[in-house]
C-alpha cells in the first residue's frame, strides 16, 4: 500500500481539519464523519484521504 492510499490517523485528521482529536472522536461517535475502525472497539479511528479532502473542500480549506 502506497503512502497516498494509507488511511489517515486521528492526529492527521485533526490537523487537516484544524481541530482537536477529541472533536474527531465526538464526531466519530455521533456518526457525523466518514471515519472507521479497522478491528475491534479499541482500534484507532481512521479516515481515507479522499474523505478528508472532501470535508476540507466543503469547509473552504
Amino acid at each position: 500500500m502506497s503512502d497516498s492510499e494509507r488511511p489517515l490517523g486521528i492526529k492527521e485528521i485533526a490537523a487537516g481539519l484544524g481541530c482537536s482529536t477529541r472533536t474527531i472522536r465526538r464526531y466519530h461517535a455521533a456518526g457525523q464523519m466518514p471515519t472507521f475502525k479497522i478491528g475491534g472497539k479499541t482500534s484507532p479511528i481512521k479516515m481515507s484521504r479522499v474523505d478528508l479532502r472532501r470535508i476540507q473542500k466543503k469547509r473552504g480549506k
Side-chain angles (χ1 to χ4, degrees), residues 26-39:
R26 277 197 309 265
Y27 286 158
H28 171 78
Q32 295 176 321
M33 291 191 112
T35 52
F36 58 92
K37 290 187 173 193
I38 301 172

Side-chain angles (χ1 to χ4, degrees), residues 10-58:
I10 191 166
K11 288 181 182 179
E12 294 167 308
I13 300 166
L17 296 176
C19 61
S20 70
T21 57
R22 189 174 184 175
T23 299
I24 301 301
R25 290 181 196 285
R26 277 197 309 265
Y27 286 158
H28 171 78
Q32 295 176 321
M33 291 191 112
T35 52
F36 58 92
K37 290 187 173 193
I38 301 172
K41 279 186 162 184
T42 59
S43 297
I45 295 171
K46 301 286 185 180
M47 177 187 277
S48 74
R49 293 173 188 275
V50 172
D51 287 334
L52 178 63
R53 278 189 232 113
R54 192 174 296 133
I55 292 170
Q56 288 172 327
K57 195 172 186 178
K58 281 184 183 178

